[in-house]
Amino acid sequence: MSADIANLKHWQYTIDLEKIAWAVFDVKGQSHNTLGREQFEELDRIVTAVAHGAQDRTVRGLVIMSGKDKSFIAGANIKEFDDLKTEEDVIEAVRAGTAVFDRIEALPVPVVAAINGACLGGGLEFALACHYRIATREDATRIGLPEVKLGIIPGLNGSARWLRQAGPMSAMPPMLAGKLLRPGQARAAGVVDQLVPTRHELKWAARKAVLKNAHSQPYRAWQPLLLFEPGRAFLANRMRKETAAKVRADHYPAPFRLIELFEKHGGSFDDMKRAETKFFAPLMISDQSRNLRRVFRLSEMLKAEAPKDGWRPARVHVIGAGIMGADVAMVCVREGLEVSLQDTSTEAVEKALKRADAFFRKRMRSPLEAEKAKARLLADPQGAQIHRADVVIEAIYENLDAKRAVFAEVEPKLKPGALLATNTSSLQIEDIASALRDPSRLIGLHFFNPVAVLPLVEVVKGADSREDEIGRGAAFVTRIGKLPLIVKSSPGFLVNRTLAPYMFGAMQKLAEGTPKEEIDAAAEEFGMPVGPIELVDIVGLDVALSVAKILKLPTPDDHPLMQLVAEKKLGKKTGEGFYKWVDGKREKPAAAPNFAKADLSVLGRELIAPLIDESEKALADGVVADADHVDAGAVFGAGFAPFRGGPLHYRASLKAKENGAAKTGGEPVHAAG
């Protein structure tokens, strides 16, 4: 082995007695493998060594493996993306990576990717450049090209190679959705050739593949016909319509650019490779991509809130079988926990179990997994299982006296060291904790409706809450696949506090005569997932009124909200609020109103201003640690447009652009731009 190969930092390179070269990727100082400049430079040296070994017959094949337990390669190092300022910078960086992958593909000996854990983005593009791919069936294994979620498209020829390997019907849908595939799905989609049960069989299977000179066989049925121009045009038009139904091209251009790339160049592998770089470069330096990468980093920041002390809860007890309590229980079960569900009403528990049964049948991978999940959810009307629970969550209705009574009864039954939490959306933690002999053990876990969909949970620190309990609360939240945001116990916490002025400002415009459809269209034009009037209907008008009272927002008798609440029109849950709802969906007019885009842009900026103002006030009041945590709460809890990077970041970016325009004598940049 040459000295050049011996001094690798991120790879271990060996050749065994059967002349099989093993390159084990293990990036130092990271829990997951990512590809950056250093890693590519070392990989290039390995490829050179293999090429020389193939020439003098000292190497008969190469296996790429990971030294991490749950990560093959999680993608490119996105921290290095921010160093790229121009399209030329991007093109130069990309060509360095694609050149290495081209050299791997051209090696005269078989190259096998042995995949366990995350194989995403650049990691899958790397694997697609290998000749044969084996993956484990372990639950941690996820495979895909999620680049569109970062505002870009695959940049290391992954789109071209997946198309060539599997055809457009298999390759394009997961790329356009940024979908992460389970091992079986990945094999069906043509990016994996062989599956093994666990990582323990992976090395042996890779060895056999090299000795057999295994090479992946591209899918050759009818799909290649769709790569000819008429087929591409037909498919591209259909993909545009389906994509436009989910996202707007002006907000999220990446999937639409990927469709255009396929339509124009998908008929030629070499043309597709060359064009991919030209399509990729401008997306990489766009504001949307920079902001979406920022949002990704915010999600990683929240995940890191959980201490790494090894505490792993196995059993949860939920008190309250209403919608929120039942949904919290279902999500915990979905993530592998055993849950007991308590309520004073046996009927409520039975109703929750029926909802859970439908949820598991829809969300679990197989009928067998659904049955296993169902068995982990236990009806416990009397609370007989409390003493076994590692986590106890109270999720009854928002009434201080009722919550105090629950905790006074529960405390003597708790398992030593059990985490104790209340799912309150508005009450002060210290007020609820006053019923406990040890108030310091109580924390808040504020889930958002629908629990199965929304990723954020506010971990609420009362005046007396212990830091270690807050840390364990954050650990529990990450354990069930959610993002923990640590907030101070204060009226509305962070998310409701910032959302309320936004929703009530919108209702004020409605009272002044602006049509509700125009208000909601303007918010969606800005990038919100739903408009504020529709959001009030979804949240519930009674809930909105309760939040208004807590935050002391004015609600005179002639307020639109007050009138509807008086008529028992509480929104989606009653079938009518500001809108009418049929089968859980908002009733829409036969002909959609046509509002001028410029007018919607102006109105959208006006609507969002109160949310940003209140975000600044919440930061000043120390509700969360810093501005990044405010932005994270707004994006993951309030639905603030992710491609704008968060409310405080958005306002700061506008000010920076306006200052730049003023210095250069250009036109000021408005909020819509």
Side-chain angles (χ1 to χ4, degrees):
M1 188 186 302
S2 70
D4 192 39
I5 294 299
N7 294 325
L8 298 173
K9 179 180 177 182
H10 302 292
W11 296 84
Q12 293 104 45
Y13 179 76
T14 57
I15 302 174
D16 66 18
L17 295 176
E18 294 180 292
K19 299 181 181 180
I20 299 173
W22 299 84
V24 179
F25 193 29
D26 193 356
V27 177
K28 301 306 176 189
Q30 294 182 191
S31 58
H32 295 279
N33 286 328
T34 57
L35 289 164
R37 291 187 185 92
E38 269 192 2
Q39 293 79 23
F40 268 118
E41 287 169 1
E42 292 186 0
L43 177 60
D44 194 44
R45 287 155 55 190
I46 289 172
V47 175
T48 298
V50 172
H52 289 160
Q55 208 169 34
D56 60 22
R57 298 189 178 184
T58 57
V59 172
R60 66 189 299 176
L62 170 65
V63 178
I64 307 292
M65 296 190 74
S66 168
K68 312 287 188 189
D69 286 341
K70 295 184 178 180
S71 166
F72 176 68
I73 303 173
N77 185 345
I78 68 169
K79 291 179 181 177
E80 293 185 5
F81 289 0
D82 293 335
D83 297 334
L84 307 174
K85 305 300 182 185
T86 67
E87 290 185 33
E88 289 73 23
D89 292 341
V90 175
I91 291 170
E92 183 179 351
V94 165
R95 282 179 178 162
T98 56
V100 178
F101 289 173
D102 285 346
R103 292 189 67 207
I104 290 170
E105 191 170 62
L107 284 170
V109 294
V111 182
V112 177
I115 300 165
N116 183 64
C119 177
L120 310 175
L124 178 54
E125 294 183 281
F126 183 1
L128 284 166
C130 298
H131 303 144
Y132 195 74
R133 291 163 291 281
I134 306 171
T136 70
R137 292 186 183 272
E138 292 191 3
D139 193 55
T141 300
R142 291 291 185 276
I143 298 168
L145 296 177
E147 280 86 347
V148 294
K149 294 184 176 180
L150 295 179
I152 53 179
I153 63 172
L156 296 170
N157 296 155
S159 62
R161 286 194 168 96
W162 197 344
L163 275 170
R164 179 185 62 177
Q165 180 67 28
M169 295 295 287
S170 296
M172 290 297 290
M175 284 194 286
L176 290 172
K179 185 177 181 181
L180 306 187
L181 305 176
R182 293 180 180 274
Q185 294 172 316
R187 188 176 186 187
V191 289
V192 169
D193 301 294
Q194 182 182 342
L195 297 175
V196 295
T198 70
R199 62 183 180 276
H200 303 297
E201 290 93 349
L202 197 54
K203 188 171 183 177
W204 180 254
R207 170 190 170 272
K208 287 178 66 177
V210 169
L211 296 178
K212 289 182 177 180
N213 194 27
H215 280 66
S216 181
Q217 297 301 311
Y219 192 69
R220 291 294 183 192
W222 52 270
Q223 286 211 37
L225 296 175
L226 296 173
L227 295 178
F228 290 104
E229 190 170 351
R232 295 203 313 273
F234 170 78
L235 275 182
N237 285 331
R238 196 176 84 178
M239 290 172 186
R240 281 193 190 92
K241 289 178 182 176
E242 292 174 352
T243 304
K246 300 172 185 175
V247 296
R248 296 165 60 118
D250 53 341
H251 294 166
Y252 300 97
F256 296 93
R257 293 292 282 160
L258 181 57
I259 294 169
E260 184 183 354
L261 172 66
F262 161 70
E263 184 177 23
K264 289 184 176 179
H265 304 283
S268 164
F269 176 65
D270 290 334
D271 287 350
M272 184 92 172
K273 285 173 64 180
R274 282 190 293 269
E276 184 191 80
T277 301
K278 295 176 183 177
F279 278 62
F280 175 80
L283 289 171
M284 174 59 78
I285 61 171
S286 68
D287 285 343
Q288 287 102 329
S289 180
R290 292 189 188 281
N291 289 335
L292 289 170
R293 298 195 310 262
R294 168 180 163 75
V295 167
F296 172 78
R297 287 192 290 269
L298 293 179
S299 71
E300 294 297 297
M301 174 191 74
L302 294 184
K303 291 175 187 176
E305 303 280 75
K308 306 295 188 291
D309 61 2
W311 181 69
R312 294 277 293 177
R315 295 185 179 90
V316 179
H317 184 79
V318 179
I319 304 170
I323 290 176
M324 287 301 291
D327 283 6
V328 169
M330 291 188 307
V331 166
C332 292
V333 169
R334 182 186 66 186
E335 298 302 318
L337 296 170
E338 180 183 300
V339 181
S340 46
L341 185 59
Q342 177 183 350
D343 198 283
T344 54
S345 166
T346 303
E347 183 183 349
V349 175
E350 291 174 353
K351 186 177 179 181
L353 293 181
K354 286 180 181 178
R355 286 184 65 240
D357 185 33
F359 176 82
F360 298 144
R361 281 190 277 109
K362 182 177 180 182
R363 298 297 184 96
M364 305 306 284
R365 282 183 288 175
S366 67
L368 177 60
E369 291 297 317
E371 285 299 314
K372 288 180 180 178
K374 188 177 176 181
R376 292 196 299 272
L377 181 56
L378 311 175
D380 186 20
Q382 304 304 317
Q385 300 295 321
I386 290 177
H387 70 284
R388 301 178 66 236
D390 303 305
V391 180
V392 175
I393 304 171
E394 168 275 311
I396 68 170
Y397 56 98
E398 285 286 272
N399 179 279
L400 181 59
D401 291 337
K403 287 179 182 286
R404 281 174 169 164
V406 166
F407 283 111
E409 182 184 348
V410 163
E411 188 177 21
K413 304 176 182 178
L414 293 175
K415 173 182 178 180
L419 179 69
L420 189 60
T422 173
N423 176 45
T424 180
S425 60
S426 55
L427 298 173
Q428 303 293 93
I429 302 303
E430 49 272 22
D431 291 343
I432 302 171
S434 64
L436 295 169
R437 291 196 298 267
D438 180 10
S440 66
R441 75 182 304 175
L442 184 67
I443 67 168
L445 290 177
H446 180 208
F447 291 83
F448 295 91
N449 190 23
V451 176
V453 175
L454 295 179
L456 192 79
V457 178
E458 289 179 314
V459 181
V460 189
K461 185 180 187 300
D464 303 315
S465 302
R466 294 198 303 266
E467 288 295 337
D468 62 326
E469 298 302 304
I470 293 296
R472 292 204 301 156
F476 168 69
V477 170
T478 58
R479 170 67 181 85
I480 61 172
K482 300 291 184 183
L483 300 174
L485 178 70
I486 298 173
V487 301
K488 182 174 73 174
S489 178
S490 60
F493 310 138
L494 177 74
V495 175
N496 282 349
R497 173 175 172 170
T498 56
L499 266 180
Y502 164 66
M503 293 192 293
F504 276 81
M507 284 187 282
Q508 182 59 37
K509 288 191 178 296
L510 178 65
E512 292 168 358
T514 306
K516 59 181 180 289
E517 295 85 1
E518 185 174 5
I519 291 170
D520 284 347
E524 292 172 11
E525 173 73 24
F526 179 83
M528 303 299 281
V530 297
I533 305 300
E534 183 175 350
L535 181 61
V536 176
D537 266 9
I538 294 170
V539 169
L541 278 69
D542 53 338
V543 175
L545 181 58
S546 174
V547 171
K549 289 177 179 177
I550 291 166
L551 297 177
K552 297 181 171 60
L553 296 173
T555 52
D557 291 342
D558 61 349
H559 194 285
L561 180 68
M562 298 296 286
Q563 295 173 5
L564 289 169
V565 170
E567 296 170 12
K568 305 296 184 185
K569 296 177 179 178
L570 304 181
K572 182 179 179 179
K573 59 188 171 186
T574 60
E576 186 174 359
F578 288 103
Y579 293 99
K580 289 186 177 180
W581 295 78
V582 179
D583 296 329
K585 294 183 179 180
R586 194 189 103 189
E587 192 174 74
K588 296 184 179 180
N594 187 20
F595 302 111
K597 184 178 175 69
D599 293 340
L600 292 180
S601 295
V602 172
L603 179 56
R605 295 196 298 271
E606 293 174 359
L607 289 168
I608 213 70
L611 188 156
I612 302 175
D613 291 341
E614 196 61 38
S615 296
E616 291 178 340
K617 292 175 185 175
L619 175 63
D621 290 344
V623 174
V624 292
D626 53 35
D628 282 350
H629 285 78
V630 173
D631 282 346
V635 170
F636 300 118
F640 188 87
F643 68 93
R644 298 191 187 275
L648 300 185
H649 174 78
Y650 168 67
R651 180 166 280 179
S653 299
L654 288 178
K655 289 178 179 177
K657 288 180 179 179
E658 287 171 353
N659 290 337
K663 287 178 182 178
T664 59
E667 290 294 322
V669 179
H670 296 291

